[in-house]
Amino acid sequence: MRKTRVVKDGEFLRPYKRILPDLISSGEALPRALSIANDLYLALDRQGYRVHIAPPDDGHRRIQVQEQEVERKDRKYGRYDTGSIWGPDRPTIFYIDTVPIGLTLTEMTERVTMRYLNGDYHREDSRLVRSMKPWQLTHSWTTEQDMPCGRFRAIAYSPKNGVDWSVSWQDTEQEPLVNAIPAILKTLSASRDTLKRLMTAEDEAEAKRKKEWQEERERYERREDARKVAQALADSQQQLAETIEKWGKAMAVERFFADAEERLAGVDGERRQHLAGRLALARAMLGSVDPLDFIGNWQAPEERYRSKFDPPEKAPAHGATKEE
């Protein structure tokens, strides 16, 4: 836990390792955090609930943890109020029978006044700031930040997607969190049936959503398939019309050459030889006028796109029967 990225004084640890128990703490409060977690894990284990890090492929998720001791509308954690709090890649979970429950322990934050002094921020109630003379504070200013307070909150939640269930316990002035462990065990054991109902309902809702998605997907694919079939038919008809038009023009040109060759028979001498060469060159430029060559390059609708679905069965003619 202490092999961490650089953090400012009083901020939460940000370990490089991401496969760790779900434990959020500042460096100063880490010994107490480990002590509370140890007592809680062992108490659960004595009840037969083995606490472990979720496997990577079981689909369990970690909820967004609320770290503020007193929930506020705004958040001011970290420099410029944009600090991120470390969290493990996988949730810490245990099972009551077949019901999974996620578990996280987080140190809470409190809103405190910070004073900018000598290039850094310090708590207004710190010994350094209190020891300063008034004239030494002339060019300093204050702001508010959410800082770890040394008090902890334990949160149990459903790690199953779609199941919104959680319950929490935290340090109070009257009772430290560790004293609430018996009540935590009692509450969690009593929550098994409620969680099982919520999970069953979510499984049914997920199956319904999946079926609706599959049906909508099939409707979309059928619409898209019908569009492509219609487009292939239109393109094929357009190509056929263009092929017939080109062949008609080619035949008109062919009639021109046939008439020219017939007239050429009445021409003598060098002029006939010259015109015969010109006709040969012109005919070579024209290419084939065989209608079979034209139709051979045409693509039928099924050659352009073949439907993925069976064609709908045609209804029998009015008044007809299968025997007929």
Side-chain angles (χ1 to χ4, degrees), residues 206-255:
E206 175 63 22
K208 182 180 179 181
R209 290 194 297 269
K210 184 176 181 180
K211 181 180 178 182
E212 290 174 348
W213 181 87
Q214 290 174 338
E215 290 173 350
E216 177 58 30
R217 179 68 183 178
E218 183 176 349
R219 287 192 291 269
Y220 168 79
E221 290 180 350
R222 285 185 177 275
R223 290 194 300 268
E224 188 67 10
D225 185 78
R227 184 191 66 80
K228 291 180 179 179
V229 169
Q231 185 64 49
L233 177 61
D235 291 344
S236 183
Q237 291 173 336
Q238 178 68 22
Q239 186 188 14
L240 182 59
E242 291 174 355
T243 297
I244 294 173
E245 182 180 359
K246 289 178 181 178
W247 181 76
K249 291 180 179 179
M251 290 305 297
V253 175
E254 175 63 18
R255 286 194 295 271

Side-chain angles (χ1 to χ4, degrees), residues 183-222:
I184 293 175
L185 297 179
K186 183 177 179 181
T187 299
L188 293 176
S189 296
S191 301
R192 182 196 62 179
D193 292 340
T194 299
L195 266 173
K196 184 175 288 187
R197 286 195 299 272
L198 291 173
M199 292 172 61
T200 300
E202 173 57 24
D203 287 339
E204 293 173 353
E206 175 63 22
K208 182 180 179 181
R209 290 194 297 269
K210 184 176 181 180
K211 181 180 178 182
E212 290 174 348
W213 181 87
Q214 290 174 338
E215 290 173 350
E216 177 58 30
R217 179 68 183 178
E218 183 176 349
R219 287 192 291 269
Y220 168 79
E221 290 180 350
R222 285 185 177 275

Side-chain angles (χ1 to χ4, degrees), residues 58-69:
D58 65 359
H60 290 148
R61 48 90 188 187
R62 178 180 184 264
I63 64 169
Q64 181 67 38
V65 175
Q66 169 57 256
E67 78 280 356
Q68 291 178 322
E69 185 174 23

Side-chain angles (χ1 to χ4, degrees), residues 15-248:
Y16 289 105
K17 191 172 182 179
R18 301 300 298 269
I19 310 300
L20 289 173
D22 198 341
L23 181 62
I24 313 300
S25 174
S26 62
E28 293 79 0
L30 182 60
R32 183 164 181 260
L34 293 172
S35 177
I36 295 172
N38 187 61
D39 291 343
L40 179 56
Y41 293 172
L42 289 176
L44 288 166
D45 189 71
R46 286 192 292 270
Q47 296 291 320
Y49 311 143
R50 184 177 66 86
V51 181
H52 60 285
I53 295 173
D57 54 354
D58 65 359
H60 290 148
R61 48 90 188 187
R62 178 180 184 264
I63 64 169
Q64 181 67 38
V65 175
Q66 169 57 256
E67 78 280 356
Q68 291 178 322
E69 185 174 23
V70 178
E71 188 171 351
R72 300 173 181 270
K73 294 182 179 179
D74 61 344
R75 184 173 181 272
K76 293 181 176 292
Y77 177 75
R79 190 66 56 89
Y80 310 116
D81 304 338
T82 57
S84 61
I85 297 177
W86 176 90
D89 282 348
R90 303 182 206 160
T92 295
I93 65 171
F94 63 92
Y95 281 83
I96 299 180
D97 295 336
T98 59
V99 178
I101 297 179
L103 188 63
T104 180
L105 180 68
T106 181
E107 184 179 355
M108 297 179 290
T109 61
E110 60 181 350
R111 185 67 54 87
V112 299
T113 301
M114 304 291 291
R115 180 172 290 276
Y116 184 78
L117 186 67
N118 298 330
D120 207 348
Y121 286 91
H122 305 272
R123 292 178 67 121
E124 183 75 351
D125 58 359
S126 65
R127 179 179 299 179
L128 174 64
V129 174
R130 287 188 286 108
S131 67
M132 290 292 177
K133 304 297 182 183
W135 63 268
Q136 293 176 302
L137 302 177
T138 302
H139 299 292
S140 66
W141 61 86
T142 61
T143 186
E144 289 187 329
Q145 286 189 24
D146 293 334
M147 300 291 290
C149 64
R151 296 179 291 277
F152 284 85
R153 173 184 291 141
I155 305 171
Y157 62 92
S158 171
K160 181 178 177 63
N161 280 317
V163 178
D164 184 16
W165 177 92
S166 66
V167 60
S168 64
W169 304 264
Q170 65 188 50
D171 282 320
T172 64
E173 294 181 359
Q174 295 76 25
E175 186 176 45
L177 179 58
V178 69
N179 290 353
I181 289 179
I184 293 175
L185 297 179
K186 183 177 179 181
T187 299
L188 293 176
S189 296
S191 301
R192 182 196 62 179
D193 292 340
T194 299
L195 266 173
K196 184 175 288 187
R197 286 195 299 272
L198 291 173
M199 292 172 61
T200 300
E202 173 57 24
D203 287 339
E204 293 173 353
E206 175 63 22
K208 182 180 179 181
R209 290 194 297 269
K210 184 176 181 180
K211 181 180 178 182
E212 290 174 348
W213 181 87
Q214 290 174 338
E215 290 173 350
E216 177 58 30
R217 179 68 183 178
E218 183 176 349
R219 287 192 291 269
Y220 168 79
E221 290 180 350
R222 285 185 177 275
R223 290 194 300 268
E224 188 67 10
D225 185 78
R227 184 191 66 80
K228 291 180 179 179
V229 169
Q231 185 64 49
L233 177 61
D235 291 344
S236 183
Q237 291 173 336
Q238 178 68 22
Q239 186 188 14
L240 182 59
E242 291 174 355
T243 297
I244 294 173
E245 182 180 359
K246 289 178 181 178
W247 181 76

